[in-house]
Amino acid sequence: MINQQFLERLIEYSPKLLESLQETTIMMGLATVAALLLGLPLGTTLFLTSSSQSLSESVWARVIHQILNLFVNIIRSFPFLLLVVAMQPIIRQFYGRATGDPVAASFPMMLIAIALYARFVEQSLHDIPKGVSELAESMGASQWELVVKFLYVEARSSLVIGFTTAFVSFLSYSTIMGVTGGGGIGDFAIRYGYQRYETDIMYVAVVVIIIMVQALQWLGFKLARLIDKR
């Protein structure tokens, strides 16, 4: 039987819980847009300029690959909490404020989202049989047509699965953003659960996060199966 005091606390904290979910949605939304608009082409460029592709014969392509690869490796290996702190002066200079706002808190998440999904995209494209690229070249396809009409089509299921995995990671990263006043469901769990010794409220937030992760994974893998025509 549910404790009456727990229900009263849950009702009391429900507005804050909903507000934290809105903040998480803002951060997740901006990270998602950054991953798709910048991470996807970045990963594609890494693949096209890799040593296994014809573009690698160009000196400039090799230079671009090394620079982009270094960028992705640095961002992915950087401890996220330290990345958040290190970016504070840059965010303040660019956005005007670095704390107390989910949009400001989203900048480190967008950066890690770009690097994380770029690596997923690169790996997905490398998994495509080499015969697909050879077929496209034999048909006289341009680089744009090779990417859009052959590579993305062949790797669509893997790209969706990679994005789903990255999206779940974005949610995990968002729980850290309370450190800089970005809010979110993780900040709610710490501020109103752990710090106030309201462990039942903290567990409610944890359950909400678990439900969100499971729902996102189910939707992502369901979509991947639907579009997989192999």
Side-chain angles (χ1 to χ4, degrees):
M1 188 173 182
I2 300 178
N3 186 282
Q4 181 66 29
Q5 291 182 341
F6 168 68
L7 285 176
E8 291 175 355
R9 287 197 299 273
L10 186 59
I11 293 173
E12 176 187 354
Y13 288 123
S14 58
K16 292 294 184 181
L17 178 60
L18 292 175
E19 181 181 350
S20 71
L21 288 173
Q22 292 175 350
E23 293 166 344
T24 297
T25 300
I26 292 172
M27 290 186 284
M28 295 286 289
L30 291 173
T32 298
V33 171
L36 292 176
L37 293 184
L38 297 176
L40 180 61
L42 175 57
T44 305
T45 303
L46 281 168
F47 169 76
L48 293 175
T49 56
S50 63
S51 58
S52 61
Q53 302 301 307
S54 59
L55 284 181
S56 63
E57 298 174 2
S58 167
V59 175
W60 283 109
R62 291 196 294 270
V63 171
I64 291 172
H65 181 83
Q66 292 297 325
I67 293 173
L68 296 181
N69 192 56
L70 180 63
F71 165 78
V72 171
N73 286 338
I74 290 175
I75 298 302
R76 290 182 70 239
S77 61
F78 213 113
F80 185 65
L81 182 56
L82 295 181
L83 178 65
V84 171
V85 175
M87 287 187 64
Q88 294 300 293
I90 301 173
I91 297 171
R92 190 174 293 107
Q93 182 71 27
F94 176 78
Y95 185 68
R97 58 186 299 185
T99 59
D101 180 26
V103 176
S106 298
F107 285 97
M109 283 188 58
M110 288 189 283
L111 190 61
I112 194 69
I114 293 168
L116 188 63
Y117 191 51
R119 192 61 81 195
F120 276 121
V121 171
E122 182 189 15
Q123 186 58 54
S124 295
L125 297 180
H126 274 300
D127 289 339
I128 298 174
K130 192 170 180 61
V132 174
S133 297
E134 293 173 350
L135 174 62
E137 291 176 3
S138 67
M139 297 175 64
S142 63
Q143 283 294 331
W144 173 259
E145 291 172 332
L146 168 65
V147 171
V148 176
K149 297 183 178 180
F150 289 87
L151 297 180
Y152 284 170
V153 172
E154 186 70 19
R156 58 188 181 276
S157 179
S158 179
L159 290 173
V160 171
I161 291 175
F163 181 77
T164 302
T165 304
F167 196 77
V168 171
S169 298
F170 303 163
L171 181 58
S172 298
Y173 290 132
S174 73
T175 62
I176 302 176
M177 299 315 302
V179 173
T180 58
I185 187 67
D187 181 57
F188 173 85
I190 296 298
R191 182 180 301 181
Y192 298 101
Y194 176 75
Q195 292 180 349
R196 298 188 182 188
Y197 301 100
E198 302 277 6
T199 54
D200 48 0
I201 297 299
M202 182 180 68
Y203 290 142
V204 167
V206 171
V207 169
V208 171
I209 294 173
I210 292 174
I211 292 173
M212 291 173 66
V213 168
Q214 295 302 314
L216 292 170
Q217 288 183 328
W218 182 84
L219 287 172
F221 282 92
K222 182 70 173 180
L223 178 60
R225 286 194 297 269
L226 286 175
I227 65 177
D228 188 0
K229 301 301 181 181
R230 290 175 293 178

